[in-house]
Amino acid sequence: MISGGAIPFTEKNHESSKKGYLYTLNQTLNILEDTEYELKEIRGRNPKNSISSNVAEYATAFLNTQGGRILYGVTDDSTVKGFKASSQQIDEIQRVVFDSLRTIEPTLSADHYQLEFHQIYNNESEPIEDLRVLEVVVPPSRDKKAVYFNKGKELHIRVRGVKHHLKGTEIVSFIQNKSTE
């Protein structure tokens, strides 16, 4: 998962100690938006809609480049904010995320992606009830020449930490470059 920027764990830390780090509310992670990470703050009271509205676009961009991770509940300046989600809401979010990822063509099986809901802690390393960060891991495509489209028509790529929606001759150029790799 994340290699740096989180608070070091201790034996008293619960589930996150197994992973080697904690997400602490209002702490800054030692990561930036780049070719591997996309940071998305969740605003409003409906994280399910916020996440499902763009997860396929970002996953498509990562599939068309080198893979990556989307962290929902972390601001663009790498501050952990999280979002409220009960166990039932986590189940609903997982369902809509996988439904959204199925709109990517060519379709990959759901087990290609990894979803991890991380608990958020306060400064005393105590869990904050129902406050989470969602990490969506998009591994690189096994087929290096494949070109992935969101909804069968939208081509997204990732360049220097920014998602780009390609159009017209940009699409042709991208496909030609992929086919010669």
Side-chain angles (χ1 to χ4, degrees):
M1 301 290 170
I2 295 177
S3 59
I7 296 194
F9 71 92
T10 64
E11 299 253 343
K12 72 176 188 166
N13 296 336
H14 308 282
E15 288 298 309
S16 290
S17 67
K18 296 174 189 169
K19 296 174 179 52
Y21 57 91
L22 290 176
Y23 285 92
T24 302
L25 185 62
N26 295 321
Q27 293 294 315
T28 301
L29 299 175
N30 190 25
I31 58 173
L32 298 172
E33 285 191 333
D34 58 13
T35 56
E36 184 180 355
Y37 289 101
E38 176 63 34
L39 309 176
K40 302 302 294 176
E41 183 174 4
I42 301 293
R43 295 186 179 155
R45 295 186 179 265
N46 194 335
K48 179 177 75 171
N49 288 347
S50 296
I51 294 165
S52 69
S53 71
N54 62 29
V55 68
E57 289 180 11
Y58 286 99
T60 302
F62 282 126
L63 285 168
N64 282 324
T65 50
Q66 300 168 352
R69 300 165 188 275
I70 312 163
L71 293 174
Y72 288 97
V74 179
T75 65
D76 283 343
D77 68 355
S78 306
T79 303
V80 175
K81 294 294 184 183
F83 58 90
K84 285 280 199 184
S86 66
S87 295
Q88 179 182 356
Q89 290 169 316
I90 287 173
D91 287 344
E92 291 173 16
I93 292 168
Q94 289 181 95
R95 183 185 53 76
V96 299
V97 166
F98 284 119
D99 286 348
S100 294
L101 294 173
R102 275 192 214 105
T103 67
I104 298 172
E105 295 178 14
T107 304
L108 297 170
S109 69
D111 67 349
H112 183 79
Y113 309 96
Q114 297 170 26
L115 272 60
E116 183 75 37
F117 286 86
H118 300 285
Q119 177 70 58
I120 295 183
Y121 294 84
N122 63 21
N123 288 330
E124 288 77 40
S125 299
E126 300 166 335
I128 302 172
E129 186 176 353
D130 292 340
L131 199 59
R132 307 274 189 238
V133 165
L134 169 60
E135 180 177 11
V136 179
V137 180
V138 182
S141 171
R142 291 176 187 97
D143 181 354
K144 299 301 179 203
K145 293 187 178 191
V147 177
Y148 294 89
F149 290 84
N150 182 34
K151 301 176 185 169
K153 60 184 177 192
E154 298 174 4
L155 184 89
H156 301 275
I157 63 170
R158 190 129 179 112
V159 179
R160 296 185 181 170
V162 178
K163 173 183 65 80
H164 293 278
H165 180 180
L166 301 184
K167 296 180 181 180
T169 57
E170 293 174 314
I171 294 172
V172 173
S173 175
F174 180 76
I175 292 171
Q176 287 173 337
N177 289 338
K178 281 280 242 186
S179 67
T180 59
E181 287 180 354

